[in-house]
Amino acid sequence: MDAQAFPLTWPDTMPRTPNKVASKFKTELSAALKNVRSSLGLFSGDSGKKVDNLVISSNVTLGVERPADPGVAVWFVWDGMQVCIAVDRYAKVEDNLQAIHHIVEARRTEMRHGGLHIVRATFRGFTALPAPKRRSWREIFKVDGTLPTTAAGLESRYRSLAKERHPDSPGGSHDAMTELNQAKSEALKEIGA
């Protein structure tokens, strides 16, 4: 686990929330932090499995309780799984922490009513997987880094590759076409076109 308490370590597999909303929580930062730690301790006791390597990651530092990015990611190891519960829905750090507390409490409810196998299945959704390795646009376009690249040359190569990668083409797929489109955007941005 490469998570750190500061600055915020957000899992690559979880999207960010662009528009924050106000919450109805009335919990102060210190109380929300205590709630998260307490609910994880109770969850550990309920499940009979230790919660290890706990890291509560945010952009809060001494003197800065209202960072521009209020997201919180709680990283830990449970039952052999690297887990991350990350919330950035709310405009305040303490509200995102309190939401994580409620998420853990929901797992405790699952434990009481469904058992350990239900919680394991749920936590697989929170499993902190490494980000997939992305290929560079040069690799996708098969461009030698020593040759100058022009917008016209990229467009020509794009059209040729799109014929092969399009989902309607034999051997093509939606994922292959998406990768090509992202590579084209990155290429045009890099060369300033």
Side-chain angles (χ1 to χ4, degrees):
M1 168 174 63
D2 293 333
Q4 54 194 11
F6 177 86
L8 174 63
T9 304
W10 193 265
D12 294 330
T13 56
M14 291 189 187
R16 298 304 306 262
T17 304
N19 301 316
K20 311 297 185 224
V21 297
S23 82
K24 298 197 188 268
F25 299 133
K26 304 273 189 244
T27 312
E28 296 292 322
L29 183 59
S30 60
L33 189 57
K34 182 178 177 182
N35 289 343
V36 168
R37 290 181 186 278
S38 174
S39 60
L40 283 169
L42 290 169
F43 172 76
S44 176
D46 292 348
S47 67
K49 309 281 182 187
K50 282 179 50 175
V51 170
D52 287 319
N53 303 332
L54 175 64
V55 175
I56 299 174
S57 183
S58 75
N59 288 319
V60 172
T61 62
L62 191 58
V64 180
E65 288 186 8
R66 297 274 177 258
D69 180 353
V72 178
V74 175
W75 299 79
F76 57 93
V77 174
W78 175 79
D79 196 27
M81 284 185 269
Q82 170 79 51
V83 177
C84 180
I85 302 173
V87 177
D88 67 347
R89 175 183 170 89
Y90 301 112
K92 295 180 183 176
V93 171
E94 57 268 30
D95 294 343
N96 290 319
L97 261 172
Q98 190 65 12
I100 291 170
H101 158 69
H102 288 291
I103 290 167
V104 174
E105 286 299 304
R107 301 300 72 82
R108 292 186 66 215
T109 300
E110 287 176 348
M111 183 76 63
R112 281 192 301 275
H113 299 289
L116 194 57
H117 67 284
I118 297 291
V119 177
R120 282 186 181 124
T122 302
F123 267 158
R124 278 196 278 284
F126 291 121
T127 302
L129 301 173
K133 242 186 176 163
R134 288 186 46 184
R135 299 188 306 158
S136 75
W137 70 265
R138 292 181 182 278
E139 188 177 350
I140 293 164
F141 275 80
K142 300 176 184 147
V143 173
D144 183 340
T146 60
L147 299 173
T149 306
T150 64
L154 277 173
E155 185 62 32
S156 173
R157 185 73 183 130
Y158 171 82
R159 288 182 183 178
S160 171
L161 290 169
K163 289 177 185 173
E164 300 169 8
R165 291 172 160 251
H166 193 276
D168 294 339
S169 298
S173 71
H174 175 72
D175 290 341
M177 195 65 200
T178 299
E179 180 186 49
L180 181 63
N181 287 332
Q182 288 173 342
K184 179 183 178 186
S185 295
E186 290 171 15
L188 291 173
K189 185 176 179 181
E190 184 178 312
I191 67 169

